[in-house]
Amino acid sequence: MLHHLNVVPVAPSRVVVIGAGGFVGAAVAERLTQAGVPVLRLTRAEVGLLAPDAADRLAAHLRDGDSVVAAAAIAPCKTVAMLTDNAVLTLALVTALSRVALAHVVNIGSDAVFIDQTVPLTEDSPKAPDSLHGVMHLAREIAFHSTVTAPLAILRPTLIYGADD
């Protein structure tokens, strides 16, 4: 459930899209740009999140008051090696995000965190992933919740695909 803190809608002063080179991150950055919102697009070229200094390099791009969309992940996560790399990547993300007074953070996750059911999902549906991909996204959610102090929204889309994917 999102709880908006502003009485009237306020455009962000700047949105940093981490993972702007990927399908989802590029689409988010493009839509924000079309809406006239200042966007800093960060891709693997600017900040390799698996590098030992990734948290420092990412934090150097962030400013107090920024809004952040975290769309960087190695997905779909299919192997234990990919799961491990995603844990390293997530550690860099949450470490950097915790160093700055951000306006808010949006983590792009997956509905794979939920147990498969025949009834519609809700926020109260059990989280019990049965795939490495779901485990990765659930671990990422827990890391964000336990580390990031800015207001946090977790989006859990399902089966995203499109012409540019």
Side-chain angles (χ1 to χ4, degrees), residues 18-122:
I18 305 166
F23 180 67
V24 173
V28 169
E30 184 57 30
R31 178 64 183 94
L32 289 166
T33 299
Q34 289 173 2
V37 176
V39 176
L40 174 61
R41 298 171 189 236
L42 295 179
T43 68
R44 208 174 281 135
E46 290 82 29
V47 180
L49 293 172
L50 295 177
D53 64 343
D56 294 333
R57 291 183 54 174
L58 177 55
H61 288 281
L62 302 174
R63 301 189 304 226
D64 288 351
D66 278 345
S67 297
V68 172
V69 175
I74 302 165
C77 183
K78 296 181 179 182
T79 67
V80 173
M82 291 173 81
L83 180 64
T84 301
D85 284 347
N86 271 298
V88 170
L89 180 152
T90 299
L91 176 60
L93 280 172
V94 299
T95 300
L97 298 180
S98 69
R99 293 180 183 170
V100 182
L102 300 170
H104 65 270
V105 174
V106 177
N107 175 51
I108 308 291
S110 170
D111 70 342
V113 301
F114 294 111
I115 191 169
D116 284 334
Q117 300 183 78
T118 57
V119 296
L121 293 172
T122 71

Side-chain angles (χ1 to χ4, degrees), residues 4-10:
H4 296 279
L5 303 177
N6 297 319
V7 176
V8 296
V10 176

Side-chain angles (χ1 to χ4, degrees), residues 129-140:
D130 64 355
S131 69
L132 290 173
H133 184 70
V135 168
M136 178 271 289
H137 278 292
L138 183 55
R140 181 177 165 117

